[in-house]
Amino acid sequence: MNLGALFSSTDMASTLIPETILLFGIIAMIIVPNLGNATFRLPIPGKAWRIPYFVGGKRFSFTSDPRLPSAIAAFTLFASFITALLSQMGEIGVADSCIAMREGVARAGPEWCSGGSVILEVNAFSRLMEMIFTAALLLAVIANWDRLPATPHHRIPLKTQRDEVVENRRLHRLLNNRRQVDFSLLVLMVALGMSTVALSANLFMLFVGLELASMASYVLVAFNKETKVGPEAGVKYFIVGSVASAIGLYGMSMLYIWNGDLSIASLHSAWTTGPNGMAIIGLGMMLVAFGFKVSAVPFHFAAPDAYSGASGPVAGVLSTASKAMGFVALMRVLIGITLVDDGSEWTLLIGVIAAITMTWGNIAALGSHNPKRMLAYSSVAHAGYILAGIAAIGALGPGEGSELIATAIIFHLAVLVTFKLGAFLVITLLECEGRGHELEHYHGLARRDPLIAISMMVFMFALAGVPPLSGFLSKLMMVSGIISSTVGDVSGSSLSDAMGSMSWVFWLAILIFINSAISLFYYLRICVVMFYDDTDRHLRLSRAPMIRIAIMLCTMGAVVLGFGVLADVLASAAHDAAMALFG
Amino acid sequence: MEITEFITLLGNPLTVLTLLPITGALLLMLVHWLGNDERREMLANPIRYTNLGIALLMFVLATLIGLEEKFGMAWGEYLYQNCEVGAVSTGSCTLISSIGVSWHVGIDALSYPMVWLTTLLIPITMIVEWDAKKGAYFHSLILMMEGALIGVFVSLDLFVFYVFWELTLIPMFFLILMWGGEDRRYAAQKFFIYTFAASVFMLAGILVMYFNNDASWVGNITGKSFDFVLMDTSTNFIATEGLRSVVFLLMLIGFATKMPSVPVHTWLPDAHVQAPTAGSMLLAGVMLKMGAYGFLRLGVTLFPDQVIEFQTLLIVLGMISLVYGAIVCLGQMNLKRMVAYSSVSHMGLIFLGVATLQPLGIAGAIFMMFAHGIISPLLFAVCGSFKHHYHTLEIDSMRGLAHHSPWMSAHMMVGWMGSLGLPLMAGFVAEVAILIAFYMAFGWWVLLPAVTLIVTATYYLWSMQRTIFEGSGEAQLPPTMHGDEPRDITWHENTGMLILGVLAVVYGIYPDFFGMFEMMSDWATLLVENAIFPPEVNP
């Protein structure tokens, strides 16, 4: 393959601006923290002429600053987010475009979207999902800004303390920003992997992106190594995750043997003519891999351990961006490949998994007293709601109702970033004082810090789906999509006739409602302990301004995206994305 | 009138009524929170007065609307709409355009009494709980509650209706949780979860209705609308009879829990007993009416055939609530619990009134909502001051209240007499209207509810005789007094109760005061003529 052709085309660059920015961010992250006063001595005898070449030596103060990696990562993610937004709005680059492999050369441009061999496609769906991923990661990076990752007891020393720091070896080690570089580098790699998943129109690219993001996130989970549970969580997450990935890859290879091509369009046309047994087994195996990513029951067992072991921001990313990535992959496969006009075979299976997932998640969350575990199980329950939506799409086949449900799913994945990640950030703030993993640590939070307590209350109510918060709107759209798919074919003049003719999908909607009511028990419990119970600690929470900024952003998002103009904007964007997903 | 014109200039008066209390309360809480400790102390009183001022302004506004307009003249006509139906269906008043949510408010003869009652009760609850050391947020939460309640009564868009319906829970949850009695934690959680779970079924019903209500405009991705008036005027709204029954039952679960009717009433006694006085006054006075209002607005107006189909169910629910509530009352030792169960009993009468399908019965049911909204807050105010001054709610612990607290005993008498349906009191008008309609509809079966009313009279008279009068001269004080001298109620408690007591008598003697009974019976007549038994349309 001609490497020159890959980069010579301006179409390529304008198609992939956000990803290019991420790539340059990664390169900058590797180079910049290594810059120092290294010089090269010219080999002239008798002269000591030195030419500085900057890589190595004693590092400059700004390149060894612990805030630098976070700044680079935040800037990169923000630029990536903005360019994705602008290119979707048509301001820069190309709005809808594809990258296809033809004759061994990658070609970019809207004209390559038809004709097969498309590996990446840029459209409303992939851009919106990219924005969701980068927004979630950006919030996590901001929250990590002025505290070392996974070191709950130390804050970054102030500038005025620098001189004393040199004396103090331990603090000196903290000033060394190698760990922050590792962390931020991994975060950017997660972003790149997730963006690839969002763009991919080919199962191979999808798997590459998924693995890039997963591998980086395994390490991120294990990054919390000062605590006892951190490494354990990382190892557990890694082992279970790689087994799931291996199964998924095996399933994918079966699909390849069956079809001879892994592009989603080609697989879809082959599937409509009728899959054989090998293809169905292959699909089932891929569902295992994606089921692990979205933590659907029975593949959810690693999730609570991983979430409670990881540091707050990382757990937040796992439960929002990583889960959204799993759902993108799931939708690519289930909607992109296997959705046929008159309902699909897998519908009932997904429906059953959805019902079990949401119920199990809620019941397990009721019994967990560690708020992180509780949020992990609530995330399992939310996965169940979304799976119910996907099951309804399968029962319905492509059409208006399905588009509405897909809109709801995308909308839900977007607003989840505000309130789910926000809740984890509140936990992060408590982790700054080495607490946050017991329900007692939340006692009397409203007296210690009213603003944070009110934010947490907003997040809890949004998770439970209390109006007028964004969690309500997303759940409402989901359920209304499911109900719309069933009310059309209800017949009969009496109550029992009508109940009898109701599609089973309608009961999924009712089950979602019942589960929201159950979930209120544990969400409300957090509100009650914050406002009602007393605590013996009366210190204010740690100042950590960047975490607070991130929490405030999340709170505002959870409120304004639920009611009013911005909710409308996001819903329209999600609808465009859903239209693009259905093609 | 010039004043209402001026208000119209500011915006739609109903929008103002809904949003001003909510934004005002949030701002006041923010102002208080931003200050440092000294300033907070200084600000507490001005904030309290501002809260009361806004509440009184609301009352003046609502009264002006009532003086200005004559309600109930035409069926399906909503006054003070911010947006005509034609404009709604083309999407010019949208709030969340992409899923068909509009900001559409309007008021008619069913909602006006409730709005007026809300604006009347809010300042009274504030006055009754005036000096209690409750901090600055207490009155702001009550004010926030007012906006949410009025929002429920005036919104004609079912999405917005549901949002306000649930929004009422949040201030009430905190009122109970922060200022309630001993067991407030349990009561607050139970209250929230129970009513939230029930109204979620109502939401399922609303969604089915939504998908049968076409309104496509540019940017509406579903092509449907949540607008109530569009549903009401649509000719083939939910054509399938069976589906209509499903929707009706789903909504009945939500409304019956809120009212509450017997199998789903258990949140009420806990919430009432644990809530602070203002909280129980608002719970009994307005929040229970939300259920009845929603049932009349959504259940009866949109699904009249289902009311006929499920008439027996309604009567059974109503009778069980009536009888069970009354009998449980007999065994209550706790004053607040007794009043709470009497609310269950009275709410049963509303189902009975609606199930008669007579104009008089429905008018009686609406008037019952109104009369109960005046009398039960009075009773809860009395219970609250009893708790405040005697530190107990046990009926048995007290004898000869009249001796020590003549004013409190007088208000208690007025409240109980009104509640048991003494002639010339507001409750009597409603009961008699419902019973007459019941007789017109079902003949001598009327004896069943009529006899139950005797039980109601029994429990009230019995406890009244024990607490107020028995042992006059040498009164027995509850042990919780610890030998303190009993005092009578304070002036501000007295003011609030006096207004309620006077209104209870005024509406008993002259139910048409402020045009109330007339507008209700007009509305009920029009409902029966136009919706329940519509005239045969000749082609």
Side-chain angles (χ1 to χ4, degrees):
Chain A
M1 192 177 100
N2 184 355
L3 264 183
L6 189 64
F7 286 108
S8 65
S9 138
T10 51
D11 282 345
M12 186 74 84
S14 62
T15 306
L16 295 178
I17 298 172
E19 291 69 30
T20 317
I21 290 176
L22 285 176
L23 202 61
F24 280 118
I26 292 178
I27 295 170
M29 187 71 79
I30 295 171
I31 292 175
V32 174
N34 281 317
L35 296 183
N37 60 0
T39 51
F40 172 74
R41 184 173 174 232
L42 286 177
I44 303 173
K47 305 280 186 195
W49 290 344
R50 291 172 179 274
I51 297 171
Y53 67 96
F54 298 120
V55 182
K58 187 173 187 305
R59 294 192 292 160
F60 304 127
S61 67
F62 88 94
T63 48
S64 62
D65 191 303
R67 292 181 188 81
L68 176 80
S70 295
I72 295 176
F75 177 76
T76 310
L77 288 168
F78 185 70
S80 177
F81 178 83
I82 290 293
T83 46
L85 181 67
L86 288 178
S87 72
Q88 179 52 34
M89 285 159 65
E91 301 290 334
I92 55 168
V94 227
D96 290 306
S97 180
C98 294
I99 291 173
M101 290 299 285
R102 295 283 165 77
E103 299 146 5
V105 179
R107 297 175 193 278
E111 66 272 20
W112 298 101
C113 285
S114 52
S117 304
V118 181
I119 53 171
L120 297 178
E121 61 181 353
V122 179
N123 54 27
F125 176 73
S126 47
R127 281 287 181 248
L128 185 64
M129 292 319 292
E130 251 176 44
M131 283 187 259
I132 294 172
F133 298 148
T134 44
L137 290 163
L138 178 63
L139 286 168
V141 166
I142 291 177
N144 252 318
W145 196 288
D146 51 9
R147 61 178 287 258
L148 295 173
T151 316
H153 302 295
H154 301 295
R155 296 210 23 235
I156 294 170
L158 299 173
K159 268 217 171 68
T160 50
Q161 300 170 331
R162 290 288 159 80
D163 293 336
E164 305 155 34
V165 162
V166 182
E167 311 295 319
N168 187 327
R169 270 191 68 207
R170 198 183 46 146
L171 279 180
H172 182 64
R173 251 209 323 278
L174 293 177
L175 248 189
N176 191 340
N177 66 358
R178 295 292 175 198
R179 286 197 70 202
Q180 283 89 341
V181 172
D182 292 349
F183 187 88
S184 303
L185 196 57
L186 287 167
V187 167
L188 288 183
M189 278 162 70
V190 170
L192 190 61
M194 285 176 173
S195 297
T196 314
V197 172
L199 290 169
S200 59
N202 183 305
L203 285 187
F204 180 74
M205 286 307 284
L206 192 140
F207 187 77
V208 169
L210 199 71
E211 278 310 287
L212 179 60
S214 306
M215 285 298 170
S217 62
Y218 300 146
V219 186
L220 281 179
V221 171
F223 226 83
N224 199 10
K225 63 185 178 190
E226 280 79 1
T227 59
K228 255 188 248 163
V229 285
E232 185 202 329
V235 170
K236 208 177 263 181
Y237 195 53
F238 171 62
I239 291 173
V240 180
S242 38
V243 168
S245 290
I247 294 175
L249 192 58
Y250 193 40
M252 214 174 276
S253 67
M254 284 180 161
L255 281 185
Y256 184 69
I257 293 169
W258 167 64
N259 188 38
D261 185 357
L262 281 177
S263 110
I264 286 176
S266 144
L267 281 167
H268 178 64
S269 54
W271 195 277
T272 40
T273 57
N276 66 6
M278 180 186 268
I280 291 173
I281 294 172
L283 179 81
M285 287 176 132
M286 284 173 66
L287 289 187
V288 173
F290 303 149
F292 167 76
K293 273 281 152 226
V294 303
S295 57
V297 175
F299 315 113
H300 71 288
F301 288 109
D305 288 330
Y307 288 21
S308 57
S311 68
V314 172
V317 166
L318 287 187
S319 67
T320 55
S322 182
K323 168 169 297 212
M325 176 181 75
F327 274 112
V328 170
L330 209 55
M331 285 197 284
R332 285 277 187 214
V333 171
L334 288 182
I335 295 174
I337 296 178
T338 63
L339 191 64
V340 286
D341 286 338
D342 48 345
S344 305
E345 301 87 349
W346 44 263
T347 305
L348 193 61
L349 176 71
I350 298 284
V352 171
I353 290 180
I356 296 173
T357 301
M358 62 176 108
T359 317
W360 185 285
N362 275 323
I363 290 172
L366 274 179
S368 42
H369 284 273
N370 178 348
K372 268 182 164 176
R373 283 189 92 81
M374 188 274 279
L375 281 176
Y377 280 119
S378 104
S379 160
V380 172
H382 278 264
Y385 305 149
I386 300 178
L387 282 174
I390 292 180
I393 292 178
L396 210 57
E400 247 180 47
S402 294
E403 276 158 20
L404 181 61
I405 301 173
T407 308
I409 292 174
I410 296 165
F411 186 88
H412 185 76
L413 293 176
V415 293
L416 203 60
V417 172
T418 62
F419 49 80
K420 191 59 153 265
L421 190 57
F424 275 111
L425 291 183
V426 173
I427 294 181
T428 310
L429 196 56
L430 279 152
E431 278 177 353
C432 287
E433 50 177 39
R435 287 146 56 97
H437 49 83
E438 297 272 345
L439 203 56
E440 286 100 62
H441 300 163
Y442 296 79
H443 284 198
L445 198 65
R447 284 185 194 78
R448 298 180 59 196
D449 206 322
L451 204 57
I452 296 300
I454 287 172
S455 300
M456 190 66 169
M457 184 191 89
V458 167
F459 300 143
M460 288 300 121
F461 280 164
L463 280 168
V466 174
L469 303 167
S470 52
F472 166 68
L473 192 57
S474 69
K475 210 175 271 181
L476 177 106
M477 283 167 74
M478 186 94 66
V479 172
S480 66
I482 295 173
I483 286 183
S484 84
S485 68
T486 53
V487 290
D489 41 67
V490 170
S491 58
S493 60
S494 76
L495 184 64
S496 52
D497 287 356
M499 300 277 249
S501 71
M502 211 74 100
S503 158
W504 60 271
V505 184
F506 181 80
W507 301 108
L508 271 184
I510 296 291
L511 195 64
I512 290 181
F513 278 141
I514 293 173
N515 267 296
S516 326
I518 296 175
S519 70
L520 252 183
F521 276 96
Y522 55 85
Y523 293 130
L524 216 50
R525 186 162 64 200
I526 294 232
C527 293
V528 169
V529 299
M530 284 193 310
F531 285 90
Y532 177 84
D533 282 318
D534 250 335
T535 176
D536 48 347
R537 280 176 89 99
H538 298 289
L539 290 170
R540 285 184 79 87
L541 282 177
S542 72
R543 212 179 303 121
M546 291 310 241
I547 302 181
R548 279 168 193 269
I549 288 174
I551 291 175
M552 285 304 120
L553 284 175
C554 288
T555 314
M556 279 190 277
V559 175
V560 298
L561 291 178
F563 204 68
V565 183
L566 279 177
D568 189 27
V569 171
L570 183 60
S572 308
H575 187 242
D576 290 345
M579 299 289 275
L581 178 67
F582 279 97
Chain B
M1 275 182 105
E2 292 88 12
I3 302 174
T4 41
E5 278 167 19
F6 175 68
I7 294 160
T8 322
L9 279 181
L10 287 176
N12 180 285
L14 299 179
T15 312
V16 173
L17 271 180
T18 313
L19 296 184
L20 178 67
I22 296 181
T23 44
L26 287 177
L27 280 180
L28 287 173
M29 284 197 255
L30 190 70
V31 164
H32 184 261
W33 179 74
L34 285 178
N36 53 16
D37 287 347
E38 297 165 36
R39 215 179 305 156
R40 277 183 205 177
E41 203 118 301
M42 213 172 68
L43 278 174
N45 251 334
I47 284 179
R48 226 154 34 122
Y49 279 105
T50 320
N51 278 317
L52 182 64
I54 295 177
L56 287 174
L57 183 72
M58 294 286 107
F59 176 64
V60 170
L61 228 163
T63 314
L64 284 179
I65 289 176
L67 290 175
E68 169 102 339
E69 297 292 346
K70 185 122 179 72
F71 289 102
M73 298 307 287
W75 177 247
E77 189 194 37
Y78 300 92
L79 300 169
Y80 289 107
Q81 291 183 73
N82 63 328
C83 205
E84 293 301 320
V85 185
V88 171
S89 61
T90 54
S92 51
C93 318
T94 52
L95 192 64
I96 306 176
S97 164
S98 45
I99 58 166
V101 176
S102 321
W103 177 261
H104 187 196
V105 289
I107 196 165
D108 71 345
L110 176 62
S111 44
Y112 181 71
M114 292 302 115
V115 171
W116 191 71
L117 181 69
T118 312
T119 55
L120 172 77
L121 279 180
I122 296 282
I124 291 180
T125 51
M126 284 185 183
I127 292 172
V128 166
E129 289 255 39
W130 191 245
D131 78 329
K133 304 257 177 293
K134 296 258 149 94
Y137 299 129
F138 186 77
H139 294 92
S140 299
L141 280 174
I142 294 180
L143 195 64
M144 203 167 138
M145 184 91 190
E146 173 172 29
L149 287 167
I150 292 177
V152 169
F153 293 132
V154 299
S155 56
L156 292 174
D157 185 281
L158 295 186
F159 183 91
V160 182
F161 171 83
Y162 184 79
V163 166
F164 281 123
W165 178 281
E166 298 293 28
L167 199 61
T168 55
L169 298 183
I170 295 172
M172 186 51 85
F173 172 72
F174 281 105
L175 283 178
I176 299 176
L177 185 69
M178 308 303 281
W179 291 280
E182 294 288 298
D183 215 6
R184 56 188 188 266
R185 182 187 177 140
Y186 169 76
Q189 291 193 54
K190 184 172 181 182
F191 161 74
F192 197 106
I193 292 168
Y194 211 111
T195 47
F196 184 86
S199 39
V200 146
F201 287 96
M202 179 185 95
L203 181 64
I206 287 179
L207 285 178
V208 178
M209 284 152 70
Y210 165 66
F211 276 104
N212 282 280
N213 189 27
D214 292 322
S216 41
W217 57 70
V218 180
N220 185 347
I221 60 181
T222 54
K224 313 284 177 189
S225 164
F226 276 103
D227 196 77
F228 167 76
V229 183
L230 285 182
M231 290 175 189
D232 198 19
T233 49
S234 151
T235 45
N236 58 346
F237 173 64
I238 310 189
T240 320
E241 279 298 310
L243 190 58
R244 291 176 77 96
S245 305
V246 174
V247 177
F248 182 78
L249 285 183
L250 281 173
M251 297 217 292
L252 191 63
I253 295 175
F255 297 139
T257 311
K258 203 78 174 185
M259 271 177 68
S261 174
V262 152
V264 281
H265 68 289
T266 57
W267 64 272
L268 181 85
D270 286 312
H272 265 320
V273 173
Q274 299 305 328
T277 307
S280 354
M281 285 170 75
L282 283 182
L283 260 178
V286 201
M287 271 190 88
L288 303 190
K289 310 307 178 298
M290 279 164 55
Y293 169 83
F295 180 63
L296 283 166
R297 173 72 80 209
L298 299 183
V300 180
T301 313
L302 287 179
F303 303 99
D305 301 345
Q306 276 58 45
V307 180
I308 299 172
E309 188 183 339
F310 293 106
Q311 199 182 18
T312 329
L313 175 71
L314 292 180
I315 292 177
V316 169
L317 280 180
M319 268 319 284
I320 294 177
S321 301
L322 184 64
V323 176
Y324 178 82
I327 289 175
V328 171
C329 267
L330 274 176
Q332 289 308 317
M333 286 296 132
N334 184 310
L335 207 54
K336 261 191 167 177
R337 246 190 145 71
M338 190 182 88
V339 181
Y341 273 109
S342 86
S343 291
V344 175
S345 180
H346 282 116
M347 291 297 112
L349 274 175
I350 290 180
F351 267 154
L352 290 186
V354 174
T356 58
L357 300 176
Q358 303 280 340
L360 184 62
I362 295 172
I366 305 174
F367 198 75
M368 179 54 110
M369 288 157 64
F370 186 74
H372 186 259
I374 289 176
I375 294 169
S376 68
L378 173 61
L379 281 171
F380 278 112
V382 171
C383 293
S385 60
F386 190 73
K387 170 91 181 165
H388 185 203
H389 294 294
Y390 290 89
H391 312 295
T392 181
L393 281 169
E394 293 299 311
I395 296 173
D396 267 351
S397 68
M398 181 70 208
R399 294 283 180 272
L401 187 68
H403 189 70
H404 296 292
S405 307
W407 272 111
M408 194 198 288
S409 325
H411 289 309
M412 204 182 250
M413 283 276 293
V414 172
W416 282 352
M417 286 303 174
S419 192
L420 65 78
L422 188 77
L424 296 186
M425 298 282 281
F428 174 72
V429 180
E431 280 175 16
V432 149
I434 291 171
L435 290 182
I436 292 175
F438 207 83
Y439 176 73
M440 283 153 70
F442 309 109
W444 288 108
W445 286 104
V446 72
L447 285 177
L448 276 178
V451 167
T452 319
L453 291 177
I454 298 178
V455 182
T456 319
T458 313
Y459 64 72
Y460 275 132
L461 290 173
W462 190 32
S463 51
M464 194 155 66
Q465 179 240 344
R466 279 185 295 171
T467 31
I468 302 182
F469 298 118
E470 205 168 81
S472 62
E474 44 203 284
Q476 171 202 340
L477 287 173
T480 44
M481 290 294 286
H482 303 299
D484 289 354
E485 269 302 296
R487 284 163 298 153
D488 205 352
I489 48 180
T490 50
W491 63 270
H492 52 84
E493 284 169 335
N494 205 348
T495 317
M497 293 180 204
L498 210 56
I499 297 172
L500 289 173
V502 166
L503 277 177
V505 175
V506 166
Y507 275 105
I509 297 170
Y510 182 53
D512 254 354
F513 180 67
F514 206 43
M516 282 300 169
F517 194 72
E518 193 189 348
M519 78 171 77
M520 289 168 190
S521 54
D522 280 353
W523 191 87
T525 315
L526 288 167
L527 173 77
V528 172
E529 280 173 3
N530 289 293
I532 299 184
F533 303 115
E536 294 294 321
V537 183
N538 293 320

